Amino acid sequence: MSDSLREQRKNEHVEIAMSQTDAPQSDFDKLRFVHHSIPNIDVNQVDLTSHTSHFDMQFPVYINAMTGGSEWTKQTNEKLAIVARETGLAMAVGSTHAALRNPKMAESFSIARQINPEGMIFSNVGADVPVEKAVQAVDLLEAQALQVHVNSPQELVMPEGNREFSTWMDNLESIVKRVNVPVIVKEVGFGMSKETFKSLVEIGVQYVDVSGRGGTNFIDIENERRTNKDMNYLTQWGQSTVESLLESTDYQDKLNVFASGGLRTPLDAVKSLALGAKAVGMSRPFLNQVEQTGITNTIEYVESFLDHMKKIMTMLDAKDIEALRHKDIVFSPELISWIEQRSLDIHRG
């Protein structure tokens, strides 16, 4: 594929993603916190710091991988980097393959580090990238972590996508061994299973982003790019973020679990943390905010989002993220069915 076609594809991805809307029903609505009337804490006592095995995040919310690889998406990354710098959020860029193939595209990603020299930035590559390129992707951004995205459904629906996956797991293991920052294995909207977590732990992975169904839908995006648009029947493929977090329960002592995919509100974010996530990522909400309302309004959106999370945690009498994991939750019959059929041990205490 030519560089100009790759640039066009990047722009198409962003345009279609921005036009998508949240799923009308969300699994986040299928679990509820039990309300206890009198908290023992004040809002200003709530600590949102997220502690992981290798680094602390000032807030448990990050701007998740979206874009880069074209002139337009360079401007988007610049805006998002300003938001990240001014709010203290971590930020992930989109797949850096375009920059690794064509140095002219490097600045569409490195602009994030230029704008936010002291911030926490995650670089991003695909599971098939050569190990040397993964190292370059980290160096390009002086990144504190490397997201490696796994996106087989997207590739298979993409007209020009990858059709070979048999080397992915071995390549992931090589990347984990060679890269000198934490590697976050990240889905792109199809969720993860307990079997996947087991396999990743076995090759040395310590971080995952479950990225469940319910947010940006890359099957829909790639199907829009197909001549006949003939694979729309796969639109509900995969596990939701809630189902993926439930699947992760047995591995949360071995993995730093991040959650993304279909988070709409501060309550969704708090529910994710209560289910064991150490941080939550959002893409389209930040993209739409910064493109439609501008940088200042997006900063206010972030500050309000974090303030609301503190208020919800106060209602739950949870001083910090760890305390959330012990709060009372009631699951819907549908989620209970998933838990039972998948033989998941979700004992909380």
Side-chain angles (χ1 to χ4, degrees):
M1 182 187 293
S2 69
D3 291 332
S4 62
L5 286 176
R6 284 196 182 92
E7 189 167 349
Q8 177 184 339
R9 184 173 74 186
K10 292 293 182 183
N11 291 340
E12 288 174 352
H13 282 175
V14 174
E15 288 170 352
I16 299 170
M18 287 179 65
S19 70
Q20 291 184 348
T21 56
D22 291 324
Q25 290 186 321
S26 169
D27 276 2
F28 284 110
D29 301 324
K30 297 175 185 174
L31 65 148
R32 295 168 57 195
F33 287 113
V34 177
H35 172 62
H36 303 298
S37 298
I38 305 175
N40 294 296
I41 60 172
D42 305 326
V43 173
N44 63 10
Q45 292 177 290
V46 175
D47 179 9
L48 288 179
T49 306
S50 177
H51 304 285
T52 77
S53 298
H54 294 82
F55 51 78
D56 289 343
M57 300 170 69
Q58 184 179 357
F59 301 111
V61 178
Y62 58 98
I63 301 171
N64 215 350
M66 268 181 280
T67 194
S70 69
E71 190 57 39
W72 176 36
T73 57
K74 173 187 171 183
Q75 296 171 20
T76 301
N77 274 338
E78 181 176 4
K79 296 173 191 174
L80 292 169
I82 295 171
V83 173
R85 183 188 67 201
E86 297 304 311
T87 60
L89 297 192
M91 173 183 171
V93 300
S95 172
T96 59
H97 290 197
L100 300 177
R101 292 189 185 99
N102 178 5
K104 293 179 181 178
M105 286 293 108
E107 196 176 2
S108 68
F109 300 95
S110 62
I111 187 70
R113 177 57 76 195
Q114 294 170 33
I115 293 294
N116 191 11
E118 305 300 322
M120 179 169 290
I121 297 177
F122 304 156
S123 194
N124 184 303
V125 294
D128 61 343
V129 73
V131 176
E132 301 75 31
K133 296 291 187 182
V135 173
Q136 288 179 30
V138 173
D139 293 342
L140 174 67
L141 290 160
E142 301 171 45
Q144 283 93 344
L146 175 67
Q147 289 184 336
V148 181
H149 63 265
V150 289
N151 63 333
S152 53
Q154 178 190 6
E155 294 286 351
L156 291 165
V157 176
M158 187 189 303
E160 70 279 24
N162 195 352
R163 302 294 183 262
E164 298 175 355
F165 310 99
S166 58
T167 60
W168 275 19
M169 192 63 78
D170 288 341
N171 198 52
L172 277 172
E173 185 172 13
S174 299
I175 292 172
V176 170
K177 288 177 178 176
R178 275 283 305 278
V179 171
N180 62 1
V181 296
V183 171
I184 306 167
V185 177
K186 179 192 181 298
E187 248 293 352
V188 300
F190 307 107
M192 288 186 173
S193 66
K194 62 182 181 181
E195 292 83 359
T196 298
F197 297 126
K198 181 176 186 292
S199 298
L200 294 175
V201 167
E202 288 172 350
I203 64 167
V205 172
Q206 295 184 59
Y207 292 77
V208 295
D209 180 342
V210 301
S211 192
R213 189 191 74 239
T216 303
N217 190 319
F218 276 99
I219 282 179
D220 282 352
I221 286 173
E222 299 301 349
N223 187 61
E224 279 296 310
R225 300 178 62 248
R226 294 177 66 83
T227 302
N228 295 327
K229 298 180 173 49
D230 55 349
M231 296 188 78
N232 61 317
Y233 57 87
L234 289 174
T235 190
Q236 292 300 308
W237 187 266
Q239 286 88 257
S240 70
T241 301
V242 170
E243 290 165 344
S244 301
L245 288 170
L246 294 171
E247 292 273 332
S248 77
T249 306
D250 278 350
Y251 296 93
Q252 288 174 4
D253 59 339
K254 305 177 183 72
L255 290 168
N256 298 272
V257 178
F258 294 169
S260 64
L263 279 84
R264 306 157 299 174
T265 66
L267 181 57
D268 290 349
V270 173
K271 286 178 177 179
S272 296
L273 299 175
L275 291 177
K278 292 195 172 180
V280 298
M282 299 193 303
S283 298
R284 192 176 66 232
F286 291 126
L287 178 63
N288 283 341
Q289 282 286 335
V290 82
E291 290 295 328
Q292 295 173 7
T293 71
I295 293 169
T296 300
N297 284 336
T298 306
I299 291 169
E300 292 174 357
Y301 166 79
V302 172
E303 291 172 343
S304 174
F305 195 98
L306 296 172
D307 178 63
H308 289 193
M309 287 181 68
K310 284 189 172 185
K311 289 175 178 174
I312 294 165
M313 289 173 66
T314 302
M315 286 192 287
L316 292 169
D317 203 23
K319 274 190 175 182
D320 54 30
I321 293 169
E322 177 59 30
L324 280 173
R325 301 182 67 170
H326 308 286
K327 298 305 171 182
D328 298 317
I329 292 178
V330 175
F331 296 97
S332 73
E334 188 174 347
L335 287 179
I336 292 292
S337 176
W338 181 278
I339 291 164
E340 291 176 349
Q341 291 186 58
R342 292 287 294 156
S343 302
L344 303 177
D345 180 5
I346 61 159
H347 174 70
R348 304 168 53 77

